[in-house]
PDB file of all heavy atoms in Angstrom:
ATOM      1  N   LEU A   1      -8.904   5.788   2.452  1.00  0.00           N
ATOM      2  CA  LEU A   1      -8.935   4.256   2.801  1.00  0.00           C
ATOM      3  C   LEU A   1     -10.276   3.787   3.067  1.00  0.00           C
ATOM      4  O   LEU A   1     -10.581   2.531   2.863  1.00  0.00           O
ATOM      5  CB  LEU A   1      -7.948   4.055   3.879  1.00  0.00           C
ATOM      6  CG  LEU A   1      -6.474   4.310   3.645  1.00  0.00           C
ATOM      7  CD1 LEU A   1      -5.624   3.959   4.828  1.00  0.00           C
ATOM      8  CD2 LEU A   1      -5.986   3.662   2.375  1.00  0.00           C
ATOM      9  N   ASP A   2     -11.183   4.554   3.663  1.00  0.00           N
ATOM     10  CA  ASP A   2     -12.395   4.126   4.012  1.00  0.00           C
ATOM     11  C   ASP A   2     -13.289   3.723   2.731  1.00  0.00           C
ATOM     12  O   ASP A   2     -14.259   2.726   2.932  1.00  0.00           O
ATOM     13  CB  ASP A   2     -13.331   5.208   4.676  1.00  0.00           C
ATOM     14  CG  ASP A   2     -13.375   6.469   3.745  1.00  0.00           C
ATOM     15  OD1 ASP A   2     -12.386   6.999   3.340  1.00  0.00           O
ATOM     16  OD2 ASP A   2     -14.577   7.022   3.652  1.00  0.00           O
ATOM     17  N   LYS A   3     -12.966   4.152   1.697  1.00  0.00           N
ATOM     18  CA  LYS A   3     -13.662   3.730   0.428  1.00  0.00           C
ATOM     19  C   LYS A   3     -13.151   2.353  -0.177  1.00  0.00           C
ATOM     20  O   LYS A   3     -13.772   1.823  -1.060  1.00  0.00           O
ATOM     21  CB  LYS A   3     -13.543   4.857  -0.638  1.00  0.00           C
ATOM     22  CG  LYS A   3     -14.157   6.161  -0.274  1.00  0.00           C
ATOM     23  CD  LYS A   3     -14.027   7.105  -1.414  1.00  0.00           C
ATOM     24  CE  LYS A   3     -14.775   8.417  -1.132  1.00  0.00           C
ATOM     25  NZ  LYS A   3     -14.738   9.428  -2.151  1.00  0.00           N
ATOM     26  N   LEU A   4     -12.173   1.936   0.430  1.00  0.00           N
ATOM     27  CA  LEU A   4     -11.599   0.604   0.072  1.00  0.00           C
ATOM     28  C   LEU A   4     -11.962  -0.464   1.212  1.00  0.00           C
ATOM     29  O   LEU A   4     -11.297  -1.616   1.042  1.00  0.00           O
ATOM     30  CB  LEU A   4     -10.127   0.623  -0.072  1.00  0.00           C
ATOM     31  CG  LEU A   4      -9.539   1.650  -1.102  1.00  0.00           C
ATOM     32  CD1 LEU A   4      -8.026   1.632  -1.182  1.00  0.00           C
ATOM     33  CD2 LEU A   4     -10.215   1.350  -2.498  1.00  0.00           C
ATOM     34  N   ARG A   5     -12.790  -0.075   2.047  1.00  0.00           N
ATOM     35  CA  ARG A   5     -13.058  -1.133   3.103  1.00  0.00           C
ATOM     36  C   ARG A   5     -13.714  -2.270   2.502  1.00  0.00           C
ATOM     37  O   ARG A   5     -14.595  -2.234   1.594  1.00  0.00           O
ATOM     38  CB  ARG A   5     -14.166  -0.483   4.139  1.00  0.00           C
ATOM     39  CG  ARG A   5     -14.320  -1.347   5.375  1.00  0.00           C
ATOM     40  CD  ARG A   5     -15.161  -0.524   6.398  1.00  0.00           C
ATOM     41  NE  ARG A   5     -14.353   0.580   6.814  1.00  0.00           N
ATOM     42  CZ  ARG A   5     -13.367   0.595   7.757  1.00  0.00           C
ATOM     43  NH1 ARG A   5     -13.023  -0.569   8.331  1.00  0.00           N
ATOM     44  NH2 ARG A   5     -12.819   1.714   8.227  1.00  0.00           N
ATOM     45  N   THR A   6     -13.304  -3.442   2.926  1.00  0.00           N
ATOM     46  CA  THR A   6     -13.755  -4.812   2.427  1.00  0.00           C
ATOM     47  C   THR A   6     -13.127  -5.205   1.153  1.00  0.00           C
ATOM     48  O   THR A   6     -13.388  -6.339   0.680  1.00  0.00           O
ATOM     49  CB  THR A   6     -15.239  -4.922   2.422  1.00  0.00           C
ATOM     50  OG1 THR A   6     -15.806  -4.261   1.235  1.00  0.00           O
ATOM     51  CG2 THR A   6     -16.022  -4.430   3.619  1.00  0.00           C
ATOM     52  N   LEU A   7     -12.350  -4.318   0.495  1.00  0.00           N
ATOM     53  CA  LEU A   7     -11.815  -4.675  -0.799  1.00  0.00           C
ATOM     54  C   LEU A   7     -10.638  -5.540  -0.653  1.00  0.00           C
ATOM     55  O   LEU A   7      -9.594  -5.021   0.060  1.00  0.00           O
ATOM     56  CB  LEU A   7     -11.369  -3.376  -1.575  1.00  0.00           C
ATOM     57  CG  LEU A   7     -10.691  -3.560  -2.931  1.00  0.00           C
ATOM     58  CD1 LEU A   7     -11.610  -4.131  -3.933  1.00  0.00           C
ATOM     59  CD2 LEU A   7     -10.044  -2.344  -3.411  1.00  0.00           C
ATOM     60  N   PRO A   8     -10.406  -6.656  -1.185  1.00  0.00           N
ATOM     61  CA  PRO A   8      -9.151  -7.456  -1.044  1.00  0.00           C
ATOM     62  C   PRO A   8      -8.095  -6.699  -2.070  1.00  0.00           C
ATOM     63  O   PRO A   8      -8.441  -6.624  -3.280  1.00  0.00           O
ATOM     64  CB  PRO A   8      -9.529  -8.807  -1.585  1.00  0.00           C
ATOM     65  CG  PRO A   8     -11.144  -8.858  -1.473  1.00  0.00           C
ATOM     66  CD  PRO A   8     -11.540  -7.470  -1.742  1.00  0.00           C
ATOM     67  N   VAL A   9      -6.929  -6.383  -1.510  1.00  0.00           N
ATOM     68  CA  VAL A   9      -5.956  -5.742  -2.168  1.00  0.00           C
ATOM     69  C   VAL A   9      -4.660  -6.548  -2.084  1.00  0.00           C
ATOM     70  O   VAL A   9      -4.233  -6.904  -0.932  1.00  0.00           O
ATOM     71  CB  VAL A   9      -5.714  -4.350  -1.752  1.00  0.00           C
ATOM     72  CG1 VAL A   9      -4.648  -3.662  -2.627  1.00  0.00           C
ATOM     73  CG2 VAL A   9      -6.959  -3.477  -1.892  1.00  0.00           C
ATOM     74  N   LEU A  10      -4.016  -6.842  -3.199  1.00  0.00           N
ATOM     75  CA  LEU A  10      -2.662  -7.406  -3.248  1.00  0.00           C
ATOM     76  C   LEU A  10      -1.683  -6.347  -3.810  1.00  0.00           C
ATOM     77  O   LEU A  10      -1.877  -5.812  -4.945  1.00  0.00           O
ATOM     78  CB  LEU A  10      -2.600  -8.666  -4.209  1.00  0.00           C
ATOM     79  CG  LEU A  10      -1.296  -9.170  -4.482  1.00  0.00           C
ATOM     80  CD1 LEU A  10      -0.601  -9.784  -3.232  1.00  0.00           C
ATOM     81  CD2 LEU A  10      -1.357 -10.348  -5.509  1.00  0.00           C
ATOM     82  N   LEU A  11      -0.604  -6.108  -2.966  1.00  0.00           N
ATOM     83  CA  LEU A  11       0.381  -5.141  -3.390  1.00  0.00           C
ATOM     84  C   LEU A  11       1.744  -5.927  -3.694  1.00  0.00           C
ATOM     85  O   LEU A  11       2.029  -6.710  -2.818  1.00  0.00           O
ATOM     86  CB  LEU A  11       0.666  -4.087  -2.408  1.00  0.00           C
ATOM     87  CG  LEU A  11      -0.296  -2.818  -2.561  1.00  0.00           C
ATOM     88  CD1 LEU A  11      -1.648  -3.040  -2.142  1.00  0.00           C
ATOM     89  CD2 LEU A  11       0.416  -1.589  -1.933  1.00  0.00           C
ATOM     90  N   LEU A  12       2.386  -5.675  -4.789  1.00  0.00           N
ATOM     91  CA  LEU A  12       3.703  -6.207  -5.061  1.00  0.00           C
ATOM     92  C   LEU A  12       4.633  -5.075  -5.449  1.00  0.00           C
ATOM     93  O   LEU A  12       4.298  -4.167  -6.281  1.00  0.00           O
ATOM     94  CB  LEU A  12       3.576  -7.172  -6.197  1.00  0.00           C
ATOM     95  CG  LEU A  12       2.514  -8.241  -6.172  1.00  0.00           C
ATOM     96  CD1 LEU A  12       2.290  -9.079  -7.453  1.00  0.00           C
ATOM     97  CD2 LEU A  12       2.924  -9.261  -5.071  1.00  0.00           C
ATOM     98  N   HIS A  13       5.814  -5.094  -4.767  1.00  0.00           N
ATOM     99  CA  HIS A  13       6.755  -3.917  -4.997  1.00  0.00           C
ATOM    100  C   HIS A  13       8.150  -4.568  -4.722  1.00  0.00           C
ATOM    101  O   HIS A  13       8.326  -5.476  -3.792  1.00  0.00           O
ATOM    102  CB  HIS A  13       6.485  -2.880  -3.954  1.00  0.00           C
ATOM    103  CG  HIS A  13       6.753  -1.508  -4.527  1.00  0.00           C
ATOM    104  ND1 HIS A  13       5.895  -0.392  -4.478  1.00  0.00           N
ATOM    105  CD2 HIS A  13       7.932  -1.000  -5.231  1.00  0.00           C
ATOM    106  CE1 HIS A  13       6.475   0.618  -5.164  1.00  0.00           C
ATOM    107  NE2 HIS A  13       7.634   0.294  -5.580  1.00  0.00           N
ATOM    108  N   GLY A  14       9.151  -4.013  -5.523  1.00  0.00           N
ATOM    109  CA  GLY A  14      10.433  -4.485  -5.312  1.00  0.00           C
ATOM    110  C   GLY A  14      11.190  -3.524  -4.529  1.00  0.00           C
ATOM    111  O   GLY A  14      11.032  -2.340  -4.557  1.00  0.00           O
ATOM    112  N   ASP A  15      12.084  -4.019  -3.622  1.00  0.00           N
ATOM    113  CA  ASP A  15      12.849  -3.170  -2.688  1.00  0.00           C
ATOM    114  C   ASP A  15      13.977  -2.360  -3.470  1.00  0.00           C
ATOM    115  O   ASP A  15      14.760  -1.520  -2.939  1.00  0.00           O
ATOM    116  CB  ASP A  15      13.467  -3.997  -1.485  1.00  0.00           C
ATOM    117  CG  ASP A  15      14.526  -4.978  -1.946  1.00  0.00           C
ATOM    118  OD1 ASP A  15      14.875  -5.125  -3.119  1.00  0.00           O
ATOM    119  OD2 ASP A  15      14.974  -5.623  -1.008  1.00  0.00           O
ATOM    120  N   ALA A  16      14.160  -2.778  -4.829  1.00  0.00           N
ATOM    121  CA  ALA A  16      15.185  -2.011  -5.744  1.00  0.00           C
ATOM    122  C   ALA A  16      14.647  -1.103  -6.595  1.00  0.00           C
ATOM    123  O   ALA A  16      15.253  -0.679  -7.594  1.00  0.00           O
ATOM    124  CB  ALA A  16      16.160  -2.997  -6.207  1.00  0.00           C
ATOM    125  N   ASP A  17      13.261  -0.744  -6.452  1.00  0.00           N
ATOM    126  CA  ASP A  17      12.649   0.162  -7.348  1.00  0.00           C
ATOM    127  C   ASP A  17      13.146   1.481  -7.205  1.00  0.00           C
ATOM    128  O   ASP A  17      13.057   2.134  -6.129  1.00  0.00           O
ATOM    129  CB  ASP A  17      11.146   0.114  -7.083  1.00  0.00           C
ATOM    130  CG  ASP A  17      10.238   0.706  -8.118  1.00  0.00           C
ATOM    131  OD1 ASP A  17      10.644   1.636  -8.827  1.00  0.00           O
ATOM    132  OD2 ASP A  17       9.087   0.235  -8.269  1.00  0.00           O
ATOM    133  N   THR A  18      13.694   2.131  -8.368  1.00  0.00           N
ATOM    134  CA  THR A  18      14.154   3.493  -8.304  1.00  0.00           C
ATOM    135  C   THR A  18      13.186   4.427  -9.038  1.00  0.00           C
ATOM    136  O   THR A  18      13.557   5.617  -9.288  1.00  0.00           O
ATOM    137  CB  THR A  18      15.481   3.564  -9.001  1.00  0.00           C
ATOM    138  OG1 THR A  18      15.444   3.056 -10.351  1.00  0.00           O
ATOM    139  CG2 THR A  18      16.560   2.758  -8.344  1.00  0.00           C
ATOM    140  N   VAL A  19      12.007   3.944  -9.485  1.00  0.00           N
ATOM    141  CA  VAL A  19      11.022   4.862 -10.124  1.00  0.00           C
ATOM    142  C   VAL A  19       9.952   5.269  -9.165  1.00  0.00           C
ATOM    143  O   VAL A  19       9.768   6.363  -8.850  1.00  0.00           O
ATOM    144  CB  VAL A  19      10.552   4.031 -11.401  1.00  0.00           C
ATOM    145  CG1 VAL A  19       9.470   5.004 -12.060  1.00  0.00           C
ATOM    146  CG2 VAL A  19      11.606   3.813 -12.375  1.00  0.00           C
ATOM    147  N   VAL A  20       9.282   4.250  -8.658  1.00  0.00           N
ATOM    148  CA  VAL A  20       8.149   4.550  -7.652  1.00  0.00           C
ATOM    149  C   VAL A  20       8.791   3.962  -6.287  1.00  0.00           C
ATOM    150  O   VAL A  20       8.946   2.822  -6.124  1.00  0.00           O
ATOM    151  CB  VAL A  20       6.920   3.797  -7.986  1.00  0.00           C
ATOM    152  CG1 VAL A  20       5.862   4.052  -6.730  1.00  0.00           C
ATOM    153  CG2 VAL A  20       6.282   4.306  -9.268  1.00  0.00           C
ATOM    154  N   PRO A  21       9.076   4.894  -5.379  1.00  0.00           N
ATOM    155  CA  PRO A  21       9.668   4.520  -4.118  1.00  0.00           C
ATOM    156  C   PRO A  21       8.837   3.477  -3.422  1.00  0.00           C
ATOM    157  O   PRO A  21       7.604   3.557  -3.367  1.00  0.00           O
ATOM    158  CB  PRO A  21       9.662   5.766  -3.353  1.00  0.00           C
ATOM    159  CG  PRO A  21       9.772   6.777  -4.300  1.00  0.00           C
ATOM    160  CD  PRO A  21       8.941   6.382  -5.479  1.00  0.00           C
ATOM    161  N   VAL A  22       9.488   2.489  -2.855  1.00  0.00           N
ATOM    162  CA  VAL A  22       8.760   1.316  -2.188  1.00  0.00           C
ATOM    163  C   VAL A  22       7.907   1.882  -1.009  1.00  0.00           C
ATOM    164  O   VAL A  22       6.891   1.202  -0.684  1.00  0.00           O
ATOM    165  CB  VAL A  22       9.739   0.199  -1.682  1.00  0.00           C
ATOM    166  CG1 VAL A  22      10.638   0.764  -0.581  1.00  0.00           C
ATOM    167  CG2 VAL A  22       9.037  -0.989  -1.475  1.00  0.00           C
ATOM    168  N   ASP A  23       8.257   2.953  -0.467  1.00  0.00           N
ATOM    169  CA  ASP A  23       7.396   3.475   0.641  1.00  0.00           C
ATOM    170  C   ASP A  23       5.981   3.901   0.244  1.00  0.00           C
ATOM    171  O   ASP A  23       5.067   3.973   0.965  1.00  0.00           O
ATOM    172  CB  ASP A  23       8.092   4.629   1.394  1.00  0.00           C
ATOM    173  CG  ASP A  23       7.930   6.002   0.745  1.00  0.00           C
ATOM    174  OD1 ASP A  23       7.903   6.135  -0.541  1.00  0.00           O
ATOM    175  OD2 ASP A  23       7.890   6.999   1.340  1.00  0.00           O
ATOM    176  N   GLN A  24       5.832   4.047  -1.070  1.00  0.00           N
ATOM    177  CA  GLN A  24       4.431   4.246  -1.566  1.00  0.00           C
ATOM    178  C   GLN A  24       3.582   3.074  -1.375  1.00  0.00           C
ATOM    179  O   GLN A  24       2.349   3.225  -0.978  1.00  0.00           O
ATOM    180  CB  GLN A  24       4.417   4.565  -3.113  1.00  0.00           C
ATOM    181  CG  GLN A  24       4.974   5.915  -3.490  1.00  0.00           C
ATOM    182  CD  GLN A  24       3.884   7.031  -3.362  1.00  0.00           C
ATOM    183  OE1 GLN A  24       2.659   6.717  -3.357  1.00  0.00           O
ATOM    184  NE2 GLN A  24       4.314   8.292  -3.345  1.00  0.00           N
ATOM    185  N   SER A  25       4.132   1.899  -1.346  1.00  0.00           N
ATOM    186  CA  SER A  25       3.366   0.763  -0.939  1.00  0.00           C
ATOM    187  C   SER A  25       3.419   0.464   0.427  1.00  0.00           C
ATOM    188  O   SER A  25       2.395   0.070   1.127  1.00  0.00           O
ATOM    189  CB  SER A  25       3.977  -0.477  -1.725  1.00  0.00           C
ATOM    190  OG  SER A  25       3.674  -0.582  -3.164  1.00  0.00           O
ATOM    191  N   LYS A  26       4.580   0.635   1.152  1.00  0.00           N
ATOM    192  CA  LYS A  26       4.785   0.350   2.561  1.00  0.00           C
ATOM    193  C   LYS A  26       3.739   1.134   3.364  1.00  0.00           C
ATOM    194  O   LYS A  26       3.144   0.634   4.320  1.00  0.00           O
ATOM    195  CB  LYS A  26       6.183   0.518   3.029  1.00  0.00           C
ATOM    196  CG  LYS A  26       7.093  -0.497   2.652  1.00  0.00           C
ATOM    197  CD  LYS A  26       8.510  -0.247   3.151  1.00  0.00           C
ATOM    198  CE  LYS A  26       9.463  -1.467   3.137  1.00  0.00           C
ATOM    199  NZ  LYS A  26      10.699  -1.247   3.784  1.00  0.00           N
ATOM    200  N   ARG A  27       3.674   2.488   3.108  1.00  0.00           N
ATOM    201  CA  ARG A  27       2.868   3.268   3.947  1.00  0.00           C
ATOM    202  C   ARG A  27       1.429   2.975   3.821  1.00  0.00           C
ATOM    203  O   ARG A  27       0.612   3.048   4.720  1.00  0.00           O
ATOM    204  CB  ARG A  27       3.162   4.751   3.558  1.00  0.00           C
ATOM    205  CG  ARG A  27       4.568   5.222   3.947  1.00  0.00           C
ATOM    206  CD  ARG A  27       4.890   6.700   3.414  1.00  0.00           C
ATOM    207  NE  ARG A  27       4.175   7.596   4.264  1.00  0.00           N
ATOM    208  CZ  ARG A  27       3.064   8.360   3.793  1.00  0.00           C
ATOM    209  NH1 ARG A  27       2.732   8.211   2.513  1.00  0.00           N
ATOM    210  NH2 ARG A  27       2.479   9.352   4.542  1.00  0.00           N
ATOM    211  N   PHE A  28       1.081   2.605   2.504  1.00  0.00           N
ATOM    212  CA  PHE A  28      -0.377   2.285   2.153  1.00  0.00           C
ATOM    213  C   PHE A  28      -0.755   1.027   2.909  1.00  0.00           C
ATOM    214  O   PHE A  28      -1.784   0.948   3.590  1.00  0.00           O
ATOM    215  CB  PHE A  28      -0.484   2.106   0.770  1.00  0.00           C
ATOM    216  CG  PHE A  28      -1.848   1.606   0.235  1.00  0.00           C
ATOM    217  CD1 PHE A  28      -2.948   2.460   0.304  1.00  0.00           C
ATOM    218  CD2 PHE A  28      -2.093   0.263  -0.027  1.00  0.00           C
ATOM    219  CE1 PHE A  28      -4.167   1.991  -0.107  1.00  0.00           C
ATOM    220  CE2 PHE A  28      -3.271  -0.205  -0.449  1.00  0.00           C
ATOM    221  CZ  PHE A  28      -4.389   0.685  -0.514  1.00  0.00           C
ATOM    222  N   VAL A  29       0.177  -0.024   2.911  1.00  0.00           N
ATOM    223  CA  VAL A  29      -0.032  -1.315   3.494  1.00  0.00           C
ATOM    224  C   VAL A  29      -0.107  -1.177   5.064  1.00  0.00           C
ATOM    225  O   VAL A  29      -1.110  -1.664   5.744  1.00  0.00           O
ATOM    226  CB  VAL A  29       1.097  -2.236   3.225  1.00  0.00           C
ATOM    227  CG1 VAL A  29       0.853  -3.565   4.038  1.00  0.00           C
ATOM    228  CG2 VAL A  29       0.934  -2.672   1.775  1.00  0.00           C
ATOM    229  N   MET A  30       0.668  -0.350   5.654  1.00  0.00           N
ATOM    230  CA  MET A  30       0.600  -0.020   7.117  1.00  0.00           C
ATOM    231  C   MET A  30      -0.744   0.573   7.485  1.00  0.00           C
ATOM    232  O   MET A  30      -1.360   0.182   8.499  1.00  0.00           O
ATOM    233  CB  MET A  30       1.810   0.786   7.501  1.00  0.00           C
ATOM    234  CG  MET A  30       1.847   0.974   9.083  1.00  0.00           C
ATOM    235  SD  MET A  30       3.303   1.944   9.550  1.00  0.00           S
ATOM    236  CE  MET A  30       4.633   0.824   8.996  1.00  0.00           C
ATOM    237  N   ALA A  31      -1.189   1.585   6.696  1.00  0.00           N
ATOM    238  CA  ALA A  31      -2.336   2.251   6.899  1.00  0.00           C
ATOM    239  C   ALA A  31      -3.574   1.217   6.850  1.00  0.00           C
ATOM    240  O   ALA A  31      -4.536   1.286   7.461  1.00  0.00           O
ATOM    241  CB  ALA A  31      -2.556   3.452   6.147  1.00  0.00           C
ATOM    242  N   MET A  32      -3.522   0.381   5.733  1.00  0.00           N
ATOM    243  CA  MET A  32      -4.599  -0.527   5.561  1.00  0.00           C
ATOM    244  C   MET A  32      -4.673  -1.648   6.695  1.00  0.00           C
ATOM    245  O   MET A  32      -5.792  -1.874   7.160  1.00  0.00           O
ATOM    246  CB  MET A  32      -4.471  -1.182   4.200  1.00  0.00           C
ATOM    247  CG  MET A  32      -4.563  -0.281   2.972  1.00  0.00           C
ATOM    248  SD  MET A  32      -6.267  -0.161   2.547  1.00  0.00           S
ATOM    249  CE  MET A  32      -6.631  -1.836   1.722  1.00  0.00           C
ATOM    250  N   MET A  33      -3.530  -1.965   7.120  1.00  0.00           N
ATOM    251  CA  MET A  33      -3.482  -3.085   8.282  1.00  0.00           C
ATOM    252  C   MET A  33      -3.993  -2.415   9.474  1.00  0.00           C
ATOM    253  O   MET A  33      -4.739  -3.060  10.314  1.00  0.00           O
ATOM    254  CB  MET A  33      -2.064  -3.458   8.428  1.00  0.00           C
ATOM    255  CG  MET A  33      -1.637  -4.416   7.267  1.00  0.00           C
ATOM    256  SD  MET A  33       0.170  -4.975   7.410  1.00  0.00           S
ATOM    257  CE  MET A  33      -0.151  -6.064   8.824  1.00  0.00           C
ATOM    258  N   GLN A  34      -3.693  -1.149   9.773  1.00  0.00           N
ATOM    259  CA  GLN A  34      -4.164  -0.546  10.949  1.00  0.00           C
ATOM    260  C   GLN A  34      -5.647  -0.316  10.984  1.00  0.00           C
ATOM    261  O   GLN A  34      -6.300  -0.431  12.077  1.00  0.00           O
ATOM    262  CB  GLN A  34      -3.430   0.891  11.146  1.00  0.00           C
ATOM    263  CG  GLN A  34      -2.003   0.862  11.542  1.00  0.00           C
ATOM    264  CD  GLN A  34      -1.223   2.275  11.545  1.00  0.00           C
ATOM    265  OE1 GLN A  34      -1.929   3.287  11.089  1.00  0.00           O
ATOM    266  NE2 GLN A  34      -0.044   2.317  12.082  1.00  0.00           N
ATOM    267  N   GLY A  35      -6.230  -0.105   9.812  1.00  0.00           N
ATOM    268  CA  GLY A  35      -7.766  -0.050   9.647  1.00  0.00           C
ATOM    269  C   GLY A  35      -8.381  -1.422   9.472  1.00  0.00           C
ATOM    270  O   GLY A  35      -9.564  -1.417   9.221  1.00  0.00           O
TER     271      GLY A  35
END
């Protein structure tokens, strides 16, 4: 995540996604917000 510092990122994910679990975005967003 340090390599993405200052990078504006928009994540869009559906809560009914059965291919890529939505937690792939949620965990990333939480970590980004904490940083």
Side-chain angles (χ1 to χ4, degrees):
L1 296 182
D2 58 309
K3 294 184 178 180
L4 302 180
R5 190 169 298 280
T6 75
L7 173 73
V9 179
L10 171 64
L11 270 81
L12 304 170
H13 213 132
D15 64 2
D17 193 326
T18 59
V19 178
V20 175
V22 70
D23 81 325
Q24 285 280 338
S25 287
K26 281 183 165 181
R27 294 175 72 250
F28 175 78
V29 169
M30 185 176 296
M32 289 280 282
M33 292 178 68
Q34 289 175 347

